[in-house]
Amino acid sequence: MGLTVVSTYFPLPTDRGDPVRVLMILRAIALTRPYTLRVVRRPDTTDAQVDELRALLPGVRVYDYQATPYRSDRLGPLGRYPESFAVGLPPWVRTRYSRELHADLFSDTGSGIAIGEAAAAYLPGTRLRWHWDKANVLAASSEQDIAEAPNPVHRMRARYLAGISTRFEERSLAHCATVSVTSEEEAHRLHGRHGRVADFILASCVPLPVDHLPRPQPGRLVWLSSFAYLPNLLGLRRFLDEGWERLHRAGYQLTLIGSGLTDPVRDELASHPGVELLGFVDDLRPVLALASAAVVPVFSGAGVKLKTLTLLAHGLPVFSTPVGAEGVPPSEAVSRGQTPAEIADAILGTSPMQLHRMATAAVDLVSRQFSARQFEIHLIESLRRTGYLRVGALDEGA
């Protein structure tokens, strides 16, 4: 029987959490058997990146697709929202949808693995036995967006998105045989919102950086996230408003790293003294090597945060909210604070010797529980147990 894997997020470049998780799943499965990958390009995906992905996945048949444009895209949201509502897809899911990909799936048989929320759009109408790997429970995360809406117009939009996202999630769960989530907390949310028990938990993991030599400078902090993801930006703004002034007066500097930085956001954040904006960087090692600690001030979201794991893997003590540290077991490497003020207090109260111990504990934690090898082992064992991979030799066909 064949195996088809679908991803609506092209995994190159690995410039944020989504592509990192996608690529790790794709490479782990490729270690056990050949399969067919059907993947939707990002708007800026190049042919060279498609070739690079094929080289990273030997033995895998890679078919890439362009997302199908909205018929009424020229009207902006006034056209996109009614169209997405008519097909029962949240607008952000519809943006990643390819009719050509869906049509090609109708001829596939055997098993299917849908990676990420938007990939569930392809479950209906096919003959595949589907596993759905979920990054978060939409019914819960979309409600957080309502609470964070800055004004009535945004709140109305958030309510609409929460409603259509929850209905989409309910229908999608009915079409998949098995489902995985990223943390125990997410498993509880899945059961509480939909009465569905997760078949297994697949925490996101990160590769340990090669040739990384930390040279921490006292008082240098770092923030790593996507500026384009609103919960990240809202959390950073709150940290700068409520916790940064005391740290800056004590001599601390903060470097901001991540993709999706626009000029208006750059101008806004640069107005805070002691803040340096780098935006996206190709190689994190030189920048993170100079930091003495990292801050992860996120107040909404779900699942294990890849940014948190990435910082830990680079040997950085992490000062985070509980949300930012979800799925990470208690460890000396991570300090949790409910508010920006509590995070600032924790940083100010940590000695250089304690920071050194936290850095050592960070690398040890990732090595033992969140390494790429641990991810591969757990994913393969879980897919074998649920019937998507055979035990022993490579399966026949793809």
Side-chain angles (χ1 to χ4, degrees):
M1 298 293 287
L3 175 64
T4 300
V5 180
V6 172
S7 173
T8 61
Y9 209 107
F10 197 86
L12 297 176
T14 52
D15 54 357
R16 56 179 298 176
D18 287 333
V20 171
R21 183 177 176 89
V22 170
L23 187 59
M24 290 187 75
I25 292 174
L26 298 180
R27 299 186 76 171
I29 298 173
L31 295 174
T32 68
R33 62 162 296 169
Y35 62 89
T36 296
L37 171 63
R38 302 193 185 278
V39 58
V40 180
R41 289 181 174 225
R42 306 185 208 182
D44 56 353
T45 297
T46 65
D47 291 342
Q49 289 169 330
V50 175
D51 291 339
E52 182 182 356
L53 180 62
R54 290 193 172 100
L56 291 171
L57 302 173
V60 176
R61 298 190 186 118
V62 178
Y63 297 93
D64 60 293
Y65 301 83
Q66 298 284 355
T68 301
Y70 281 90
R71 296 187 184 92
S72 51
D73 197 46
R74 71 183 189 282
L75 300 177
L78 292 177
R80 292 193 294 267
Y81 274 56
E83 184 175 331
S84 67
F85 179 80
V87 295
L89 299 178
W92 61 273
V93 173
R94 172 62 184 83
T95 299
R96 302 183 188 179
Y97 178 75
S98 166
R99 291 193 184 90
E100 183 185 1
L101 191 161
H102 206 166
D104 286 350
L105 282 173
F106 295 152
S107 61
D108 290 352
T109 59
S111 299
I113 297 175
I115 306 176
E117 270 59 51
Y122 300 100
L123 273 55
T126 66
R127 295 179 291 169
L128 297 166
R129 176 180 181 262
W130 283 103
H131 174 78
W132 188 15
D133 178 71
K134 290 181 60 55
N136 68 88
V137 176
L138 296 175
S141 61
S142 59
E143 284 190 1
Q144 294 177 353
D145 295 336
I146 298 175
E148 293 180 343
N151 56 56
V153 174
H154 284 82
R155 194 170 300 115
M156 182 172 63
R157 175 180 178 272
R159 289 187 184 280
Y160 166 74
L161 292 175
I164 194 171
S165 296
T166 299
R167 291 191 295 273
F168 166 73
E169 190 169 54
E170 289 174 348
R171 291 194 302 271
S172 299
L173 287 168
H175 286 289
C176 66
T178 56
V179 60
S180 57
V181 293
T182 61
S183 68
E184 290 282 356
E185 292 88 343
E186 281 292 85
H188 289 307
R189 294 181 188 113
L190 182 69
H191 186 262
R193 299 287 180 161
H194 299 290
R196 181 70 177 262
V197 176
D199 293 272
F200 60 90
I201 295 170
L202 182 66
S204 295
C205 296
V206 293
L208 287 166
V210 178
D211 296 330
H212 177 60
L213 299 174
R215 302 182 303 280
Q217 297 181 358
R220 184 177 289 273
L221 304 176
V222 68
W223 176 93
L224 171 66
S225 287
S226 168
F227 293 94
Y229 185 51
L230 186 58
N232 294 340
L233 187 57
L234 291 175
L236 175 61
R237 285 169 172 163
R238 183 176 170 186
F239 175 74
L240 291 172
D241 289 340
E242 301 176 22
W244 177 241
E245 183 179 354
R246 290 176 57 222
L247 288 168
H248 178 58
R249 286 203 312 265
Y252 284 85
Q253 295 179 301
L254 178 63
T255 300
L256 308 180
I257 310 169
S259 60
L261 180 60
T262 62
D263 288 339
V265 171
R266 179 186 293 274
D267 293 341
E268 169 203 343
L269 298 177
S271 66
H272 292 271
V275 173
E276 176 189 26
L277 284 102
L278 295 186
F280 177 73
V281 296
D282 290 315
D283 188 353
L284 291 172
R285 292 172 298 177
V287 182
L288 298 187
L290 300 179
S292 61
V295 293
V296 185
V298 290
F299 299 88
S300 64
V304 178
K305 309 298 185 294
L306 275 165
K307 52 179 163 282
T308 302
L309 297 182
T310 298
L311 294 164
L312 292 169
H314 285 78
L316 282 171
V318 169
F319 293 82
S320 174
T321 57
V323 172
E326 180 173 316
V328 179
S331 166
E332 187 177 7
V334 181
S335 172
R336 294 166 170 83
Q338 295 286 346
T339 66
E342 290 183 6
I343 292 175
D345 286 340
I347 294 171
L348 291 169
T350 303
S351 69
M353 183 60 69
Q354 289 173 310
L355 286 175
H356 178 73
R357 291 201 303 267
M358 291 176 73
T360 302
V363 177
D364 180 66
L365 176 64
V366 174
S367 299
R368 287 186 292 104
Q369 298 191 44
F370 296 102
S371 68
R373 182 57 181 158
Q374 292 297 326
F375 183 90
E376 292 169 358
I377 292 171
H378 184 53
L379 174 60
I380 291 170
E381 288 179 348
S382 299
L383 290 177
R384 283 174 173 166
R385 177 171 51 80
T386 49
Y388 294 89
L389 297 176
R390 296 179 187 175
V391 178
L394 291 176
D395 296 322
E396 298 296 327

